[in-house]
Amino acid sequence: MRRLLGCLWIALCVLPAQGAPLPVTEIAPGVFVHQGAHEEFGDGYHGDIANIGFVIGAEAIAVIDTGGSFRIGQALRDAIRSRSSLPIRYVINTHVHSDHIFGNAAFEPDQPQFIGHRKLAAAMRMRAEVYQANLRTMLGTAADGSRVVLPTREVAAELVLDLGGRKLQLRAWAPAHTDHDLTVFDDQTASLWMGDLLFVERAPSIDGDVKGWIAAIATLEAMPAAIAIPGHGPVVANKATFLARQRRYLQVLVDDLKRGIAAGLPMQQTVRDAAASERSHWQLFDSVNLRNAELLYPALEWE
Ligand SMILES: [Zn+2]
């Protein structure tokens, strides 16, 4: 009962009522984050599982990821408009996954630059049809208005955006969580939007290059940041702790799969047991880890 009440309480607090602004927290001056819930895609998915937010400068506003539906994007826009009437000049997507991008269309009236990694547009084009069909299946009419909106400006390596009095440094990464991850660093508050290059609490899902991701973690560790905003889970001050946890999971998964393959164990068994020692450390572990293991196994088998 307590658990049920807890869930209800969370649902009431986290989910915006239809037409209400999305709840956001000002984690540093002018930096606002909405934390998504730890839920899987599928039954019960409501499009609000990723961390999204915005940064307000003296002259303009940048949005960083827009949520998993048009409706969430609109609620995010309402949250911005209840705080500032400055122009929303930039909408930045950290990567293609549908929980991060389907709110883009809600910002089209602002005519912002839509910004992403130079490989984002290709990923969006390739997935748009399936993503939109899946969203309709999961959300029904709550998916209304949700469309894939392509970037209008691409980041090949780095890009600096001036919001007036503060600059955002965008960085395009080599394949890691996906093949088109983008991070955003706010120089005024030293806060780093990490997209899904960092998962906190929720099991990290792999859709790019696991070795590249492990390598990226070393670079991310060295980046100065007072505050880190992960793609999922709470904002953290000590990103090194959480990057280390994530590296440990990724490495254990790879090592366990390799060990099973080397021992000639059946694929099903190897995939099922991989990274079992990590199970208690992560939320949504069973479903996410199985997907990861099934994805990695064929490539590792060929090594
Ligand atoms: Zn993702």
Side-chain angles (χ1 to χ4, degrees), residues 41 50 94-100 177-178 181 195-197 199 205 207 231-232:
F41 293 99
T94 60
H95 64 294
V96 75
H97 288 151
S98 79
D99 47 327
H100 298 259
H177 169 66
T178 63
D181 301 298
D196 281 5
L197 288 175
F199 283 73
S205 62
D207 189 20
H232 299 267

Side-chain angles (χ1 to χ4, degrees), residues 112-116 150-154:
Q113 294 180 12
F114 289 94
I115 303 179
L150 297 173
T152 56
R153 188 172 183 184
E154 299 184 340

Side-chain angles (χ1 to χ4, degrees), residues 17 25 28 38 47 52 62 72 77 124 129 138 166 181 232 249 267 273 289:
T25 304
H38 292 317
I52 60 179
I72 297 293
R77 189 170 180 271
M124 280 182 161
E129 203 176 319
M138 291 186 289
R166 75 196 311 160
D181 301 298
H232 299 267
Y249 164 70
M267 173 183 160
D273 295 343
N289 180 62

Side-chain angles (χ1 to χ4, degrees), residues 2-277:
R2 183 183 285 175
R3 186 159 172 219
L4 179 68
L5 285 173
C7 293
L8 281 173
W9 186 86
I10 288 165
L12 287 170
C13 292
V14 173
L15 290 177
Q18 197 172 348
L22 202 65
V24 294
T25 304
E26 189 169 12
I27 60 141
V31 181
F32 296 83
V33 177
H34 170 77
Q35 188 184 329
H38 292 317
E39 293 171 359
E40 262 293 9
F41 293 99
D43 289 347
Y45 178 70
H46 48 68
D48 182 20
I49 66 169
N51 294 345
I52 60 179
F54 51 93
V55 179
I56 303 180
E59 293 161 15
I61 297 169
V63 176
I64 296 122
D65 283 343
T66 57
S69 71
F70 179 76
R71 198 172 280 184
I72 297 293
Q74 262 185 334
L76 178 64
R77 189 170 180 271
D78 290 345
I80 295 171
R81 283 295 168 240
S82 69
R83 286 166 179 80
S84 172
S85 56
L86 286 172
I88 298 170
R89 201 169 284 161
Y90 309 105
V91 172
I92 302 162
N93 289 129
T94 60
H95 64 294
V96 75
H97 288 151
S98 79
D99 47 327
H100 298 259
I101 59 119
F102 264 130
N104 282 12
F107 293 91
E108 283 185 318
D110 301 295
Q111 298 184 290
Q113 294 180 12
F114 289 94
I115 303 179
H117 189 292
R118 72 181 164 81
K119 292 184 184 167
L120 175 64
M124 280 182 161
R125 279 196 198 95
M126 198 165 72
R127 298 175 189 217
E129 203 176 319
V130 170
Y131 273 12
Q132 275 167 205
N134 286 347
L135 195 72
R136 177 63 63 182
T137 304
M138 291 186 289
L139 297 188
T141 55
D144 288 355
S146 306
R147 282 184 298 107
V148 169
V149 176
L150 297 173
T152 56
R153 188 172 183 184
E154 299 184 340
V155 185
E158 289 183 51
L159 175 68
V160 175
L161 302 176
D162 192 343
L163 300 184
R166 75 196 311 160
K167 290 193 169 110
L168 300 182
Q169 298 164 12
L170 280 55
R171 176 174 178 155
W173 292 76
H177 169 66
T178 63
D179 74 352
H180 53 271
D181 301 298
L182 191 76
T183 54
V184 180
F185 181 75
D186 170 48
D187 70 346
Q188 197 178 82
T189 60
S191 46
L192 179 63
W193 297 77
M194 302 180 74
D196 281 5
L197 288 175
L198 179 64
F199 283 73
V200 175
E201 298 176 348
R202 183 189 172 102
S205 62
I206 303 163
D207 189 20
D209 177 345
V210 69
K211 285 173 194 165
W213 197 354
I214 290 169
I217 286 171
T219 311
L220 288 161
E221 278 173 334
M223 287 173 75
I227 308 175
I229 302 135
H232 299 267
V235 170
V236 295
N238 50 336
K239 70 176 159 54
T241 304
F242 297 94
L243 283 165
R245 278 181 204 176
Q246 185 174 267
R247 173 172 43 219
R248 185 194 63 208
Y249 164 70
L250 296 173
Q251 195 64 61
V252 165
L253 176 60
V254 170
D255 291 347
D256 284 0
L257 288 170
K258 279 185 177 170
R259 201 172 301 121
I261 290 164
L265 297 174
M267 173 183 160
Q268 224 180 355
Q269 184 185 341
T270 301
V271 163
R272 187 195 63 208
D273 295 343
S277 63

